[in-house]
Structures are given as C-alpha cells and as structure tokens.
Amino acid sequence: MPDHFHWLVELENCSLKKLMRETKSLIAREVNISINRKGPLWQQGYHDRALRREEDLVKMARYVVANPLRAGLVEKIGDYPLWDAIWI
C-alpha cells in the first residue's frame, strides 16, 4: 500500500508501542536516506486491533491480503506476492 501498511504480528517479548516506534524509526531513516530528505515520515500513533480467536485471525488475514485488490494495485489477489499467507 502506498500510504499505510497492515501487519499481523504475534507479540512475544516486545510491546506493540516499542515495535511500532522502532519500525517507524528504521523505515523513516532508510526512506530519508534513499531519497535525500529530512524530517518525519509517519503520522503519530497507529491503529491496532487485538485478535482473540482463530476465526478472527483468518478474517483479518483475508482482509489484509485483499487490501491491494480493493485499492486497485493488483488485478487479482494472486498478483499480490503475499496472497498465500499461512492463515488464509
């Protein structure tokens, strides 16, 4: 997605806040270096949703994989490189 990303992560020894802070920092640094820019890249904050049941995980995985299709970035789900995630 050109303006956001979706993840399905299982947190073990890390908080979501720390994971997001470090991820945004690393990506911003690499993007800024690669296109010779400075300053913030990300909006503050993030949206999260806890999944508690296996059925919820499958539904969310399908939503994530279909997102590029809904956005018009691919013509069919099979064109998306991660369409065959293990949860689908």
Side-chain angles (χ1 to χ4, degrees):
M1 302 305 302
D3 60 354
H4 69 282
F5 68 93
H6 294 271
W7 269 357
L8 289 172
V9 296
E10 182 177 359
L11 297 172
E12 292 182 3
N13 298 320
C14 180
S15 71
L16 182 58
K17 182 178 180 178
K18 180 180 179 188
L19 174 65
M20 293 306 298
R21 182 178 62 239
E22 291 179 3
T23 299
K24 286 179 168 186
S25 176
L26 289 171
I27 293 172
R29 187 176 76 227
E30 292 300 318
V31 168
N32 284 343
I33 288 169
S34 71
I35 62 174
N36 196 30
R37 72 178 291 276
K38 292 183 180 183
L41 179 66
W42 299 97
Q43 286 180 231
Q44 291 184 352
Y46 53 89
H47 177 76
D48 65 318
R49 178 175 297 162
L51 303 176
R52 307 209 188 290
R53 300 177 318 183
E54 187 70 23
E55 303 84 51
D56 297 334
L57 179 61
V58 171
K59 281 189 232 177
M60 189 56 65
R62 288 180 177 154
Y63 171 84
V64 169
V65 170
N67 210 24
L69 180 66
R70 286 189 302 276
L73 299 176
V74 295
E75 291 185 20
K76 59 185 186 299
I77 289 177
D79 293 340
Y80 180 59
L82 301 177
W83 72 271
D84 61 345
I86 62 171
W87 294 295
I88 298 177

